[in-house]
Amino acid sequence: MCYAIPGRVAGISGNKATIDYFGEKKTALLLDRNAKLETGNYVYAQGGVIVDVISEAEAKKTLALWEKRFFALKEKDDSLVATGTQNPKLSALFAKVRAGKPLGKDELNWLLSLRGQDADALRSFANSLRREELKNSCCVHGIIEFSNHCGMNCLYCGIRATRNMERYRMTEKELVAAAANAAKLGFRALVLQSGEDKFYSGETLVRAVQKIRRMGVLIFLSIGERDLKLYQALYDAGARAALVRFETSNPASYSRWRPGRKLEDRLRLIRELQKIGYLVSTGFLIGLPGEGEGELAENILLTRGLGTDMYSFGPYIPRNGEKEKPDLDRCLNAISVVRLVDRKAKILVTTAMETLSPEAKRLGLMAGGNSLMIDVTPEKYSRLYELYQGKYKPAKEEIAKTLALLNEIGRAPTDLGL
Ligand code: 5AD
Ligand code: SF4
């Protein structure tokens, strides 16, 4: 099993390399580790970063397995793209997007509200943009939840500090072993996630990152609001991406849901991480109780304005007893609208979305999404990382199901670079 296709370095310019995948050229950033990279080398890239250099023999073996499938998948993807609408207003908006003109907030709100045939047309159009901009590559990231301790008390969250529940912390050794297992399964990008847990010293995290980095994977951190010095040290150790959602663009709502915290501090952290050089994934919750009219469109526009590298948003999954049900259509429309306002965006179909319907992964990928995440935390811990109910899914089954789905809809489980 493999979640990345090796590419051949076709040229190097500054800190960027052009990589050739079966004749398709993509660019990817070099890591310092690849300083000796030469034209003709074979590499793996994830999230637009070269994460590993491999021997020609190993590359050719993998490429031989992929070549036929790569083109077959492409054909399949092409065959599933359909555009067109009977609705003149929708048609005019599509033309506006095609002409490269920005859509206004009212237009976004209208698109987000579409249902039925119009929603289908919106999603098909977004899917065609996805194909034009990103081809049929689909990043499949693994996530390891290494501690469910959290000092924060976000009201929406199932592992918030005040909840009386079984807590765990993986040791450094367990974390590194879980990462090695994920790398063996074929993952080339791993998210290391925890609550805001000050228990781990900088040295422990730095050591773990150094060890995992050597496995040739892109390391994503999702550790919350920690000291910038720690983020810098982890970057220096080899982490290259960070997941920090801003949750809501409404400052009052933000402080209500995340007591003691301010939106402006969260946004500052995102900008500082970008300055350090991290690829940043950010986004928001859809359908938080009290979400204002137009707030979803504002969340999308704020994400775009931050100029981050990946969108990560999903429905708020209510706790027991709450009546409001999250609306999958709204989430799918959000994916499509993001694709329209930010055509080259990497858009994650999040695991929370998948709890709304067994079809959500497929629908999200057919609505303009191009990335997925699979939980590869050891089972005994994953069950306890219950951000929301229904989150736990056995890893092996999920991997098999995901690969079957990607095969069916013509997506290559890889990331071909920026
Ligand atoms: N429903 C959906 N997502 C949630 N998160 C936390 N609680 C919930 C919930 N009830 C998300 C937050 C956070 C991420 C780690 O998990 O958006 O950023
Ligand atoms: Fe902690 Fe994150 Fe949950 Fe907030 S959302 S309580 S920071 S784990």
Side-chain angles (χ1 to χ4, degrees):
M1 224 171 336
C2 186
Y3 304 100
I5 299 176
R8 189 179 164 279
V9 176
I12 301 170
S13 159
N15 68 343
K16 283 197 180 131
T18 307
I19 305 176
D20 186 305
Y21 297 93
F22 301 118
E24 237 165 58
K25 301 272 197 301
K26 302 273 181 170
T27 39
L29 295 172
L30 307 180
L31 279 184
D32 0 58
R33 214 167 83 88
N34 303 114
K36 284 196 224 104
L37 197 72
E38 288 171 14
T39 300
N41 284 164
Y42 285 87
V43 297
Y44 279 116
Q46 280 285 300
V49 179
I50 294 174
V51 292
D52 210 4
V53 186
I54 57 167
S55 73
E56 186 170 345
E58 189 189 338
K60 290 211 160 138
K61 212 166 80 192
T62 314
L63 287 171
L65 293 173
W66 268 107
E67 187 159 13
K68 245 183 155 176
R69 249 189 93 202
F70 185 78
F71 290 105
L73 286 170
K74 244 176 146 190
E75 252 175 53
K76 179 81 198 176
D77 181 36
D78 291 352
S79 76
L80 294 175
V81 166
T83 50
T85 172
Q86 305 295 327
N87 182 328
K89 185 169 172 189
L90 202 48
S91 185
L93 286 184
F94 292 171
K96 203 168 166 184
V97 171
R98 283 257 168 250
K101 291 190 187 134
L103 300 179
K105 217 188 287 174
D106 288 345
E107 290 168 326
L108 300 194
N109 281 327
W110 182 72
L111 290 168
L112 289 166
S113 73
L114 296 178
R115 295 294 180 271
Q117 275 184 357
D118 286 342
D120 291 344
L122 166 66
R123 292 172 203 165
S124 297
F125 180 64
N127 187 36
S128 70
L129 292 178
R130 183 274 312 155
R131 180 176 137 270
E132 282 165 34
E133 298 294 344
L134 302 167
K135 309 288 187 301
N136 68 333
S137 69
C138 179
C139 334
V140 185
H141 298 178
I143 179 164
I144 300 172
E145 295 142 343
F146 63 94
S147 161
N148 72 349
H149 286 260
C150 188
M152 266 297 285
N153 217 8
C154 306
L155 302 183
Y156 42 73
C157 180
I159 65 167
R160 68 189 175 279
T162 54
R163 248 193 110 200
N164 185 12
M165 60 181 293
E166 193 179 335
R167 303 274 172 178
Y168 71 88
R169 283 188 177 107
M170 283 165 66
T171 61
E172 180 189 333
K173 214 168 148 195
E174 283 179 305
L175 172 55
V176 173
N181 183 48
K184 214 166 92 202
L185 287 169
F187 287 93
R188 290 275 166 184
L190 287 179
V191 182
L192 310 182
Q193 188 172 75
S194 68
E196 275 187 21
D197 187 3
K198 305 268 158 74
F199 169 83
Y200 295 93
S201 70
E203 291 92 80
T204 311
L205 293 176
V206 161
R207 261 198 320 272
V209 164
Q210 281 168 340
K211 288 181 188 159
I212 297 170
R213 178 66 200 95
R214 274 184 232 123
M215 297 168 196
V217 295
L218 175 70
I219 301 176
F220 254 94
L221 301 172
S222 176
I223 55 174
E225 289 175 38
R226 303 292 305 265
D227 206 87
L228 274 181
K229 281 204 189 104
L230 175 65
Y231 271 112
Q232 180 68 58
L234 293 170
Y235 185 86
D236 296 339
R240 282 294 177 271
L243 177 59
V244 187
R245 286 181 173 178
F246 59 80
E247 317 290 0
T248 164
S249 58
N250 178 325
S253 169
Y254 183 92
S255 296
R256 197 164 54 242
W257 285 98
R258 308 195 76 224
R261 295 281 168 94
K262 285 197 189 133
L263 176 62
E264 62 191 67
D265 295 332
R266 193 74 164 180
L267 298 179
R268 192 175 311 117
L269 172 64
I270 291 171
R271 292 193 182 103
E272 291 296 336
L273 293 175
Q274 287 174 300
K275 267 194 228 154
I276 291 177
Y278 277 104
L279 300 170
V280 177
S281 175
T282 191
F284 43 85
L285 284 164
I286 299 178
L288 272 176
E291 182 189 276
E293 215 187 297
E295 194 171 313
L296 178 51
E298 274 155 25
N299 289 342
I300 291 172
L301 292 172
L302 175 58
T303 319
R304 194 193 57 181
L306 286 165
T308 43
D309 303 277
M310 185 187 258
Y311 288 74
S312 165
F313 53 85
Y316 161 65
I317 308 295
R319 288 166 313 211
N320 267 350
E322 274 176 335
K323 277 188 229 99
E324 265 176 89
K325 269 202 102 197
D327 181 353
L328 179 60
D329 278 320
R330 207 150 168 263
C331 297
L332 295 172
N333 286 359
I335 292 180
S336 298
V337 167
V338 168
R339 179 63 63 213
L340 267 57
V341 301
D342 197 351
R343 299 161 70 126
K344 292 182 193 297
K346 300 197 174 201
I347 309 174
L348 191 63
V349 181
T350 50
T351 39
M353 232 176 264
E354 291 174 35
T355 64
L356 301 185
S357 153
E359 283 299 300
K361 216 181 246 186
R362 174 197 307 269
L363 295 170
L365 290 174
M366 294 305 289
N370 73 311
S371 307
L372 297 173
M373 218 180 263
I374 295 181
D375 190 345
V376 287
T377 310
E379 180 178 338
K380 64 175 173 179
Y381 295 136
S382 181
R383 285 181 185 281
L384 297 172
Y385 205 91
E386 209 182 23
L387 293 171
Y388 46 83
Q389 282 187 330
K391 183 179 151 291
Y392 172 73
K393 295 210 177 79
K396 286 240 159 78
E397 241 172 69
E398 268 308 291
I399 293 171
K401 272 199 227 157
T402 303
L403 291 182
L405 168 66
L406 295 179
N407 197 36
E408 215 178 291
I409 61 172
R411 306 290 174 94
T414 178
D415 178 36
L416 302 184
L418 291 173

